[in-house]
């Protein structure tokens, strides 16, 4: 699905591929800034996922595995935030009419969580690296996923 046809918190998700490239190839400062922007777009406030979140997750898992990426621990923390997100589900429990909307944020949340879970075979490799910051973030993510 083309990024311009799905939504992030700012509207069209068309900017996401460029932000992912900056995280992948930018120097530490550029990568961190791009990741901050990405976080606002796909997991605002650390718990509000968007339509584009699930589509972004496989790329985040990929970047978390690349040694040349400078902000890998922060990427893993973002994956944990996405896996923890229950904002829409909690709201829908109180306001079931939310589930009748054509745009179903509860489904986005579920899809995002499943996307994080689907790639969890990468956890072991990250834990084996010996970087304490990455190990700590990975351990927290594993705990969230129940692994």
């Amino acid at each position: 699905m083309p990024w311009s046809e799905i939504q992030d918190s700012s509207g069209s998700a068309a900017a996401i591929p460029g932000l992912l490239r900056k995280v992948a190839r930018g120097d530490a400062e550029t990568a961190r800034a791009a990741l901050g922007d990405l976080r606002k777009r796909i997991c605002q406030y650390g718990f509000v996922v968007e339509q584009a979140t699930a589509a972004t997750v496989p790329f985040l898992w990929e970047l978390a595995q690349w040694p040349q990426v400078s902000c890998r621990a922060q990427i893993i923390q973002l994956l944990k935030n996405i896996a923890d997100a229950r904002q829409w589900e909690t709201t829908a429990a109180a306001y079931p009419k939310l589930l009748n909307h054509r745009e179903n944020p509860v489904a986005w949340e579920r899809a995002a969580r499943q996307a994080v879970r689907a790639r969890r075979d990468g956890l072991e490799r990250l834990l084996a690296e010996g970087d304490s910051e990455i190990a700590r973030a990975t351990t927290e993510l594993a705990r969230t996923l129940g692994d």
Side-chain angles (χ1 to χ4, degrees):
M1 174 184 307
W3 291 100
S4 59
E5 290 176 22
I6 58 176
Q7 300 287 304
D8 65 20
S9 68
S10 69
S12 164
I16 287 179
L19 290 170
L20 288 166
R21 271 191 299 279
K22 284 181 180 174
V23 172
R25 299 199 182 97
D27 59 43
E29 200 176 316
T30 302
R32 206 173 1 265
L35 186 62
D37 194 1
L38 197 57
R39 178 185 291 277
K40 276 191 217 107
R41 289 168 176 269
I42 65 164
C43 193
Q44 202 169 23
Y45 313 116
F47 56 82
V48 182
V49 303
E50 301 293 335
Q51 184 182 21
T53 306
T56 310
V57 164
F59 297 99
L60 293 173
W61 267 116
E62 202 63 38
L63 291 171
Q65 306 284 341
W66 292 359
Q68 68 272 31
V69 174
S70 59
C71 50
R72 294 164 66 208
Q74 291 79 10
I75 293 169
I76 297 163
Q77 285 162 351
L78 176 54
L79 287 168
K80 180 195 182 298
N81 291 149
I82 293 167
D84 274 336
R86 300 281 188 289
Q87 176 70 10
W88 295 117
E89 219 171 72
T90 306
T91 305
Y95 305 101
K97 285 186 176 152
L98 183 67
L99 298 172
N100 301 334
H101 288 254
R102 192 177 63 80
E103 300 284 311
N104 185 345
V106 178
W108 300 344
E109 214 169 55
R110 250 177 237 137
R113 277 201 304 269
Q114 285 165 347
V116 175
R117 186 166 289 286
R119 302 288 293 272
R120 71 180 183 274
D121 57 345
L123 290 169
E124 265 181 59
R125 194 173 329 124
L126 289 168
L127 283 171
E129 283 191 25
D131 177 302
S132 62
E133 198 185 0
I134 289 173
R136 194 166 35 252
T138 304
T139 301
E140 287 174 18
L141 174 56
R143 206 173 289 138
T144 291
L145 296 177
D147 287 357

